[in-house]
């Protein structure tokens, strides 16, 4: 079924340019164009729009007001901003309103790939009630402004550890979360870390950037009242998997970028559990009860109750976030790597192996997850004999 994409901008020339630019997608998307917020809302009253791409500065109803109304009236619509405004104040206003932010002028391929990734929400999650819940959540699908600024700093020619520390320190809440994580036993650092700059020096820019994103994701949920889920346990497990996946990736000498992707994929691999537990707590509890009564794995019970799994939900969210494909893939398929075959070792396999080894060590054979390493995948990669080396990294 064709995806319905709506573009909104008061500049007629720009809309015509988008028509020409995206002409090759006419067989994939059904595209509509509106020159005002009012026209866009009228169109959406008749058409079920999957993705809206809107400008911010428009006369009458501006982009923020338009997207706010769409969030309320059409919560299952993915909201993307395409604007020439890029200051941090504007980005902060968009947190919770827009799922993605693109700057004008925007490269054609970037625009296409962003919309395609946004559509993964509907492709990855078949249960429409869950689609609406995910799309309606204010904080999960929206990247923290600190993370966005960190990425820009890392890509800068003049990037520095000191600057990264300064960016994190401007967000008091994020600073507290990062320092709490960094000073925990998970990292085993030789001394107490007092500032984000010290943390960045000791752990590295990539690790701190990943921690910022994962801390933001974890902090959105109050799961204390949800039976069977401890936020501290989820954080501990995620930190361990991220760290081990990164070590395995480095051990196998894959490129640095993919090693970083393995770290972030491990940190976020169970973020879908938080979404389901926090927003569908009764069904989440039913999943735990079904797992115990029928003696089945957690993901199998999820499939019966939700019609999807936490891995697919998490992957859909990260796809909307616009995270790199290897990270999205690692989260989506961390229980089922066979669904994304590769000719070489990938961040997905590093996360899959790390998750299985960690569960095996800590829970034996009495487990709530499928923790068997996919030996067929490793056989294809000719890496079966690597397992003892990876176990040693865990120990």
């Amino acid at each position: 079924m064709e995806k319905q994409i709506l573009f909104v901008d008061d500049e007629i020339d720009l809309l015509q340019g988008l028509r020409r630019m995206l002409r090759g997608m006419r067989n994939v998307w059904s595209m509509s164009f509106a020159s005002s917020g009012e026209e866009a809302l009228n169109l959406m009253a008749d058409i079920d729009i999957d993705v809206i791409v809107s400008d911010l500065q428009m006369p009458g109803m501006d982009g923020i007001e338009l997207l706010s109304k769409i969030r309320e009236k059409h919560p299952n619509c993915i909201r993307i901003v395409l604007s020439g405004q890029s200051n941090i104040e504007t980005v902060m206003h968009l947190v919770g309103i827009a799922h993605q932010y693109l700057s004008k002028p925007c490269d054609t391929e970037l625009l296409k790939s962003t919309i395609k990734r946004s559509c993964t929400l509907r492709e990855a999650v078949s249960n429409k009630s869950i689609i609406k819940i995910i799309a309606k959540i204010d904080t999960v699908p929206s990247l923290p402004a600190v993370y966005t600024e960190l990425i820009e700093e890392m890509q800068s020619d003049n990037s520095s550890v000191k600057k990264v520390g300064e960016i994190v320190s401007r967000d008091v809440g994020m600073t507290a979360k990062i320092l709490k994580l960094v000073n925990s036993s998970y990292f085993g650092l030789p001394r107490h870390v007092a500032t984000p700059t010290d943390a960045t020096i000791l752990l590295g820019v990539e690790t701190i950037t990943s921690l910022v994103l994962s801390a933001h994701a974890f902090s959105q949920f109050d799961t204390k009242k949800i039976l069977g889920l401890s936020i501290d346990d989820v954080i501990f497990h995620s930190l361990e998997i991220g760290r081990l996946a990164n070590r395995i990736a480095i051990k196998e000498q894959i490129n640095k970028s993919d090693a970083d992707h393995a770290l972030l994929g491990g940190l976020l691999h169970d973020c879908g559990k938080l979404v389901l537990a926090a927003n569908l707590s009764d069904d989440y509890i039913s999943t735990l009860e079904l797992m115990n009564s029928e003696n089945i794995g957690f993901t199998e019970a999820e499939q019966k109750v939700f019609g999807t799994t936490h891995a697919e939900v998490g992957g859909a969210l990260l796809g909307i976030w616009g995270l790199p494909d290897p990270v999205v893939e690692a989260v989506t398929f961390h229980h089922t790597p066979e669904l994304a075959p590769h000719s070489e070792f990938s961040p997905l396999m590093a996360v899959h192996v790390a998750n299985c080894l960690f569960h095996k060590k800590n829970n034996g054979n009495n487990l709530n997850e499928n923790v068997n390493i996919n030996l067929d995948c490793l056989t294809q990669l000719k890496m079966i004999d690597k397992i003892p080396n990876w176990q040693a990294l865990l120990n």
Side-chain angles (χ1 to χ4, degrees), residues 317-369:
L317 283 174
L318 300 187
I320 293 173
W321 265 351
L323 265 65
D325 288 344
V327 176
V328 176
E329 184 181 79
V331 172
T332 305
F333 303 111
H334 70 269
H335 288 299
T336 54
E338 68 278 4
L339 299 181
H342 289 279
S343 58
E344 57 187 19
F345 198 75
S346 65
L348 162 60
M349 285 306 299
V351 172
H352 169 69
V353 169
N355 192 48
C356 291
L357 290 178
F358 182 85
H359 274 301
K360 284 274 189 184
K361 179 184 178 183
N362 289 278
N363 297 291
N365 293 318
N366 183 21
L367 300 163
N368 296 337
E369 302 271 11

Side-chain angles (χ1 to χ4, degrees), residues 217-236:
F218 294 138
S219 69
Q220 307 312 310
F221 300 100
D222 180 9
T223 56
K224 294 177 182 177
K225 297 180 180 179
I226 300 174
L227 184 66
L229 182 69
S230 163
I231 188 66
D232 289 336
D233 288 347
V234 173
I235 292 175
F236 170 75

Side-chain angles (χ1 to χ4, degrees), residues 263-279:
L263 169 66
L264 187 51
L267 283 170
L268 296 173
H269 77 287
D270 274 347
C271 66
K273 279 186 179 180
L274 298 174
V275 176
L276 295 175
N279 294 280

Side-chain angles (χ1 to χ4, degrees), residues 80-97:
I80 299 174
V81 167
L82 177 59
S83 175
Q85 291 188 354
S86 58
N87 61 74
I88 193 64
E89 290 79 10
T90 301
V91 173
M92 286 297 290
H93 280 300
L94 290 170
V95 172
I97 297 175

Side-chain angles (χ1 to χ4, degrees), residues 245-259:
N246 181 253
R247 287 175 175 172
I248 290 172
I250 292 172
K251 179 79 172 178
E252 297 312 315
Q253 299 182 332
I254 66 177
N255 64 67
K256 187 178 184 304
S257 176
D258 278 343

Side-chain angles (χ1 to χ4, degrees), residues 78-372:
I78 305 305
R79 305 175 294 274
I80 299 174
V81 167
L82 177 59
S83 175
Q85 291 188 354
S86 58
N87 61 74
I88 193 64
E89 290 79 10
T90 301
V91 173
M92 286 297 290
H93 280 300
L94 290 170
V95 172
I97 297 175
H99 297 113
Q100 268 283 353
Y101 183 98
L102 299 175
S103 296
K104 292 180 180 177
C106 183
D107 177 74
T108 305
E109 292 307 313
L110 175 60
L111 179 59
K112 287 180 183 177
S113 65
T114 300
I115 295 174
K116 287 177 182 177
R117 274 200 299 263
S118 297
C119 290
T120 60
L121 176 60
R122 288 175 178 266
E123 295 168 356
V125 184
S126 56
N127 189 314
K128 289 188 177 181
S129 65
I130 297 179
I131 291 174
K132 288 186 177 181
I133 287 172
I134 293 175
K136 192 165 64 174
I137 295 172
D138 288 347
T139 47
V140 174
S142 302
L143 285 169
V146 172
Y147 180 82
T148 304
E149 196 172 354
L150 284 176
I151 294 299
E152 292 177 355
E153 174 62 22
M154 289 173 63
Q155 294 173 345
S156 169
D157 294 335
N158 300 315
S159 178
S160 71
V161 169
K162 182 179 179 181
K163 180 64 174 176
V164 168
E166 289 175 352
I167 292 171
V168 176
S169 66
R170 289 205 296 270
D171 187 321
V172 177
M174 191 64 70
T175 297
K177 295 182 185 76
I178 293 301
L179 293 182
K180 180 180 178 181
L181 290 174
V182 169
N183 284 304
S184 68
S185 60
Y186 310 141
F187 288 97
L189 296 178
R191 61 182 177 83
H192 181 78
V193 180
T195 69
T197 299
D198 289 343
T200 306
I201 291 172
L202 289 168
L203 293 179
V205 173
E206 292 82 5
T207 299
I208 290 298
T209 304
S210 297
L211 285 176
V212 164
L213 182 55
S214 59
H216 173 80
F218 294 138
S219 69
Q220 307 312 310
F221 300 100
D222 180 9
T223 56
K224 294 177 182 177
K225 297 180 180 179
I226 300 174
L227 184 66
L229 182 69
S230 163
I231 188 66
D232 289 336
D233 288 347
V234 173
I235 292 175
F236 170 75
H237 174 69
S238 299
L239 285 166
E240 290 294 324
I241 301 310
R243 185 167 61 171
L244 179 58
N246 181 253
R247 287 175 175 172
I248 290 172
I250 292 172
K251 179 79 172 178
E252 297 312 315
Q253 299 182 332
I254 66 177
N255 64 67
K256 187 178 184 304
S257 176
D258 278 343
D260 293 338
H261 290 154
L263 169 66
L264 187 51
L267 283 170
L268 296 173
H269 77 287
D270 274 347
C271 66
K273 279 186 179 180
L274 298 174
V275 176
L276 295 175
N279 294 280
L280 296 171
S281 56
D282 290 343
D283 288 334
Y284 188 85
I285 292 171
S286 297
T287 301
L288 298 175
E289 293 173 346
L290 182 66
M291 180 187 70
N292 293 321
S293 64
E294 296 191 7
N295 194 28
I296 58 177
F298 183 73
T299 52
E300 185 179 350
E302 280 183 317
Q303 193 69 54
K304 288 188 175 184
V305 174
F306 295 109
T308 186
T309 68
H310 68 277
E312 292 173 337
V313 171
L317 283 174
L318 300 187
I320 293 173
W321 265 351
L323 265 65
D325 288 344
V327 176
V328 176
E329 184 181 79
V331 172
T332 305
F333 303 111
H334 70 269
H335 288 299
T336 54
E338 68 278 4
L339 299 181
H342 289 279
S343 58
E344 57 187 19
F345 198 75
S346 65
L348 162 60
M349 285 306 299
V351 172
H352 169 69
V353 169
N355 192 48
C356 291
L357 290 178
F358 182 85
H359 274 301
K360 284 274 189 184
K361 179 184 178 183
N362 289 278
N363 297 291
N365 293 318
N366 183 21
L367 300 163
N368 296 337
E369 302 271 11
N370 174 15
V371 297
N372 295 315

